[in-house]
Each structure stands twice: as C-alpha cells, then as structure tokens.
C-alpha cells in the first residue's frame, strides 16, 4: 500500500533500503522462544529443567518488569507453566503423567520463579 500511496505524490520507495518492521511493545516471538526451549529441554531432569525455566522467567521479568505491567508478567508466567505442564507430560517412557495438583506442588517445592516488578521506585526528594 505504501508504494501506491507515495506514487500519488510522485515519490517512490527504494526497495533495497525499505524494510517492514513490527511495531509493538511485545513481540509474539518471545512466547514462541519459551515454547521452543521447553520442547527441546523437556528431557532434562526436573530440577535442571526448572532451573533453566527460572532463568528465562527471571530474564523476562527483568526486561518487561516496570511498574504497571504485573498483569502482563503474570500472563506470561501462567502461559509458560501451562506449556511446561503440556510438554513435560509428553515425555516418553513409562513415567506417569503429572496432574495439575501434583505439578503445582512440584513447582512450589522446586521453587519456580514468580513474576515480580523489578523497577525500583524513584528516590523521594529530601525536604529541608
């Protein structure tokens, strides 16, 4: 549409210099990367798996953790836990599958990283 619009004004786009970029605060690929990591590392022992997942969750919180974004952080956390539940239950062998209560207890026992706001409040000026 842009080339047609510019053509009306006698302008043209240089294709070698033009690039379409997604303009959004949250890129859809961040959830895809976590899903791919979970799928490719589900073979790990559960403690190592949770340790790696915690690194990703904490990194997400540090990057997207300003005040006012707690809903987004919790949404991402819940999605990551649901994906982990799904793919850990698909591990091969004769292992029994997790139920949600058992999975929740395991996450609590192993210490899953909960979302938190990482931005520090601004320093209050000292009044003399």
């Amino acid at each position: 549409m842009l080339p047609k619009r510019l053509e009306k004004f006698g302008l043209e786009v240089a294709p070698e210099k033009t690039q379409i970029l997604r303009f959004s605060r949250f890129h859809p690929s961040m959830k895809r990367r976590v899903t791919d990591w979970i799928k490719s590392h589900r073979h790990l022992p559960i403690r190592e798996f949770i340790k790696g997942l915690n690194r990703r969750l904490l990194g997400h919180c540090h990057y997207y953790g300003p005040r006012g974004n707690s809903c987004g952080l919790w949404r991402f956390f819940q999605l990551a836990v649901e994906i982990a539940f799904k793919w850990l239950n698909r591990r091969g062998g004769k292992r029994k599958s997790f139920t949600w209560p058992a999975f929740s207890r395991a996450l609590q026992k192993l210490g899953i990283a909960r979302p938190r706001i990482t931005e520090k409040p601004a320093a209050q000026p000292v009044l003399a």
Side-chain angles (χ1 to χ4, degrees):
M1 287 182 62
L2 183 61
K4 287 182 184 179
R5 177 86 172 137
L6 291 175
E7 194 175 298
K8 287 182 181 179
F9 301 103
L11 301 171
E12 59 185 49
V13 175
E16 67 277 359
K17 296 181 182 178
T18 305
Q19 180 180 357
I20 296 176
L21 297 175
R22 179 178 172 79
F23 182 72
S24 173
R25 183 172 177 192
F26 302 107
H27 198 276
S29 69
M30 71 180 173
K31 292 176 185 174
R32 169 59 61 195
R33 287 194 316 249
V34 170
T35 301
D36 291 343
W37 184 87
I38 288 171
K39 285 167 67 173
S40 64
H41 290 82
R42 64 184 172 189
H43 66 280
L44 294 174
I46 193 73
R47 288 188 190 280
E48 289 180 40
F49 177 83
I50 294 299
K51 191 187 253 187
L53 183 59
N54 278 345
R55 279 195 301 266
R56 277 137 190 92
L57 291 172
L58 288 174
H60 184 81
C61 285
H62 286 282
Y63 191 79
Y64 294 105
R67 279 180 274 156
N69 192 29
S70 60
C71 289
L73 294 177
W74 275 101
R75 204 171 325 123
F76 183 81
F77 172 77
Q78 288 171 341
L79 182 69
V81 168
E82 289 171 8
I83 293 167
F85 177 78
K86 173 185 174 180
W87 286 103
L88 287 176
N89 275 332
R90 291 183 177 199
R91 296 200 285 190
K94 295 184 178 181
R95 295 182 184 130
K96 289 187 176 183
S97 296
F98 280 113
T99 61
W100 269 110
F103 187 65
S104 296
R105 283 192 305 272
L107 290 180
Q108 189 174 16
K109 182 179 178 183
L110 294 169
I112 189 78
R114 302 279 180 192
R116 60 187 171 84
I117 299 298
T118 56
E119 180 185 44
K120 295 189 174 161
Q124 297 293 326
V126 178
L127 299 174

